Amino acid sequence: LLPSMTESSDSLKQKGNEAFANKKYAESISLYSKAIDADPSNHVLFSNRSASHEAREDYENALSDAMRCVSLKYDWAKGHYRKARALLGRKRYEEAWHAYTECLSFDPNFQEAKTDIKICAKLMKSGRGHHQIVSLSKEEEVLLSTLTTGYPVEIKSVGSSKGRGVVTTRDIVPGETLLVSVPYVSCVLYENKTPFTTCAHCIHIMSDDKEGDHRTQCPQCHELYCNSSCLEEAYAQYHRKLCPGTPSPGQDHPLAKLRAHCQTTQNEYPLMIARILARIIQDIEAGVHPDDAYRPVGMLPCVGGFDVPESQGRSLAAELALIKELLYDPRIGPLFSLEKYKRINTKFMLNAFRIDIRRSEGDTPCRARCLLVTGSFFNHSCDPNVDWSSRTNDHRVSYIATRAIRSGSEACISYIDHTEKRAVRRKRLAEAYMFDCLCPKCDAGQ
């Protein structure tokens, strides 16, 4: 089957090239799209479709395809060139200049990039560019203000090309806690080799000695919780919709099938998304407007052009079918579309934190993944002034200042190992988070 798939993709690509050469850009886009369906890992196809979108002055889709191209093959100069061209079209000149620079770092003789970067530099000096600053709606401001109440930070637009970020509201001293974030949803990772007895809600690691703890079970499915408060919170948030009603649901039960699928693929995202949808449904049933119920997830930072890879055994359509069988509700029907499912997956891949939970210092960690609404607004810096970790034997994440931070300054964490070399850092950030780091440390070439 593989040779015929490749031939089909090559044939469609050739036809797309011919349509592009004849300036039939809508036709070339259609042909490249079909070729991508046949060969979704081919970076050249995304580059070609990006060029077609650019020719139609559809710079948003041109940028999306260019970003996907770069994520598939970071060391290919032309992908960065396509990204720069799209950013130039959107008048995001500073970002375009960095993309051209990255292009020329891989191919110093790329003539078109050498010409364009000079034009870009002039446009930057003329001040004709603009940055895509994402403002908060009034509803989002109210929600985030509630979530940060009692902490010396606020979430607001921070300028440049970062969008929104976490800003201090007073002077901060080293070692001070800026924020403790409680996950919207969390889940133990399948990759854990050591068996842990954990709370099904907060992932508190329980001792082998049952004496003295307050563990309890769901009276219907017998799912284990560290105490009655966690059981009540889980039931109020999502467990009422997800509870199978019996300790041993058959293998044909929708929840059993979803869990089996996640176990086989070693991927916890579908279960976490099922919890999100269950939370939204339960909020609506409690009288919350659907828009308000979705807002905690809807306002999470996201990047256009980041497609969820259907690799490592993942099939998004298969996952969605299992979730629909378990939870479908016409009141949020659009959330069960494949396109929306891809979007929610994208938000997970870009915003979910992987944390290590320990009973005591030095213990083997229980690895977990959690989606933190407030925590997701910390921007990256390769010279961070904030560190983060789980410090409470549960899924809560603490953000601690590593040095003094002046009032009104942005608090930043590092998404990667910031001690690595600049080229390695930039490659990791581009592949995993779809952006070129513009922090002072990277700008200085450190």
Side-chain angles (χ1 to χ4, degrees):
L1 291 177
L2 287 176
S4 62
M5 182 189 74
T6 304
E7 290 169 6
S8 174
S9 174
D10 288 344
S11 175
L12 289 163
K13 174 189 169 186
Q14 184 58 40
K15 291 178 180 177
N17 292 346
E18 292 171 2
F20 182 86
N22 291 319
K23 299 184 179 181
K24 297 179 180 179
Y25 302 125
E27 183 180 340
S28 67
I29 289 170
S30 176
L31 289 164
Y32 290 139
S33 297
K34 292 176 182 177
I36 287 169
D37 288 339
D39 188 6
S41 62
N42 190 327
H43 61 284
V44 176
L45 297 174
F46 285 96
S47 173
N48 290 1
R49 193 170 68 176
S50 175
S52 296
H53 284 306
E54 182 198 339
R56 302 184 76 194
E57 298 184 3
D58 181 358
Y59 299 116
E60 183 173 354
N61 281 316
L63 179 59
S64 293
D65 280 342
M67 296 285 272
R68 181 60 176 149
C69 174
V70 169
S71 71
L72 288 169
K73 190 168 179 59
Y74 186 81
D75 59 357
W76 192 50
K78 196 168 185 178
H80 295 279
Y81 174 73
R82 288 285 172 227
K83 177 180 175 182
R85 291 285 304 176
L87 288 166
L88 195 67
R90 295 188 70 179
K91 297 181 173 61
R92 290 161 60 175
Y93 300 134
E94 183 180 351
E95 293 172 82
W97 187 88
H98 281 275
Y100 281 126
T101 301
E102 202 75 358
C103 169
L104 291 169
S105 72
F106 292 111
D107 183 0
N109 298 316
F110 201 121
Q111 192 56 51
E112 292 90 342
K114 291 168 71 175
T115 300
D116 282 3
I117 196 170
K118 295 177 183 178
I119 298 171
C120 185
K122 290 180 180 178
L123 291 169
M124 287 170 65
K125 288 181 180 179
S126 71
R128 295 178 186 173
H130 69 276
H131 297 290
Q132 302 299 310
I133 300 174
V134 182
S135 61
L136 295 166
S137 69
K138 290 182 179 180
E139 293 80 6
E140 290 173 341
E141 287 179 350
V142 170
L143 175 59
L144 290 172
S145 177
T146 300
L147 294 174
T148 56
T149 296
Y151 296 104
V153 295
E154 61 179 335
I155 296 170
K156 59 190 291 187
S157 295
V158 292
S160 186
S161 56
K162 288 184 175 182
R164 300 167 288 188
V166 180
V167 176
T168 58
T169 56
R170 58 171 172 78
D171 289 345
I172 304 296
V173 299
E176 185 174 351
T177 298
L178 272 69
L179 180 69
V180 177
S181 189
V182 179
Y184 187 74
V185 293
S186 60
C187 187
V188 173
L189 296 183
Y190 284 103
E191 68 183 47
N192 283 295
K193 305 302 181 185
T194 303
F196 294 95
T197 302
T198 61
C199 175
H201 181 61
C202 78
I203 318 184
H204 172 82
I205 303 173
M206 290 178 267
S207 63
D208 295 329
D209 181 9
K210 298 180 182 180
E211 294 294 329
D213 67 18
H214 303 282
R215 67 181 66 187
T216 187
Q217 293 180 324
C218 169
Q220 294 177 296
C221 69
H222 294 183
E223 196 158 62
L224 187 63
Y225 296 88
C226 62
N227 56 49
S228 58
S229 295
C230 264
L231 169 58
E232 291 169 4
E233 188 171 277
Y235 194 80
Q237 290 181 357
Y238 56 83
H239 187 64
R240 180 168 54 81
K241 298 299 295 186
L242 293 176
C243 180
T246 175
S248 303
Q251 62 181 11
D252 291 331
H253 189 280
L255 182 59
K257 289 195 288 186
L258 181 61
R259 283 175 170 166
H261 178 88
C262 292
Q263 179 69 52
T264 300
T265 59
Q266 292 288 285
N267 174 39
E268 62 283 345
Y269 283 171
L271 275 175
M272 295 180 76
I273 292 175
R275 283 191 175 185
I276 283 178
L277 295 173
R279 279 197 71 161
I280 293 171
I281 293 169
Q282 289 194 197
D283 280 347
I284 293 171
E285 290 178 346
V288 178
H289 189 278
D291 289 345
D292 294 328
Y294 180 67
R295 182 163 288 110
V297 178
M299 71 179 180
L300 289 174
C302 198
V303 176
F306 191 104
D307 293 332
V308 180
E310 298 223 19
S311 60
Q312 300 176 342
R314 289 198 71 181
S315 169
L316 300 182
E319 293 171 8
L320 179 60
L322 292 171
I323 292 174
K324 288 175 75 171
E325 183 182 1
L326 175 65
L327 282 171
Y328 182 77
D329 190 310
R331 290 172 295 186
I332 57 169
L335 295 185
F336 290 93
S337 69
L338 184 58
E339 193 62 35
K340 201 68 174 180
Y341 184 67
K342 287 181 179 179
R343 186 70 171 173
I344 295 175
N345 265 276
T346 299
K347 287 177 178 287
F348 256 101
M349 296 185 77
L350 295 175
N351 294 289
F353 284 67
R354 174 175 162 158
I355 61 174
D356 288 347
I357 299 173
R358 293 179 172 86
R359 279 181 53 81
S360 304
E361 188 69 29
D363 286 356
T364 300
C366 173
R367 291 190 166 88
R369 197 176 305 279
C370 54
L371 188 65
L372 301 157
V373 175
T374 49
S376 296
F377 287 94
F378 279 93
N379 283 316
H380 166 82
S381 173
C382 293
D383 185 23
N385 53 14
V386 175
D387 192 15
W388 60 272
S389 65
S390 171
R391 303 186 173 203
T392 50
N393 186 16
D394 59 32
H395 62 186
R396 289 175 293 175
V397 173
S398 299
Y399 297 86
I400 312 296
T402 58
R403 58 177 182 262
I405 307 173
R406 296 189 65 178
S407 178
S409 300
E410 186 178 8
C412 293
I413 63 175
S414 182
Y415 298 172
I416 56 170
D417 181 357
H418 59 87
T419 64
E420 293 185 301
K421 292 183 178 180
R422 177 179 182 272
V424 176
R425 298 196 310 267
R426 290 174 67 82
K427 185 176 187 294
R428 291 186 188 280
L429 290 167
E431 290 176 345
Y433 298 99
M434 300 296 288
F435 70 85
D436 291 328
C437 187
L438 306 179
C439 76
K441 185 176 179 180
C442 283
D443 246 5
Q446 298 176 14

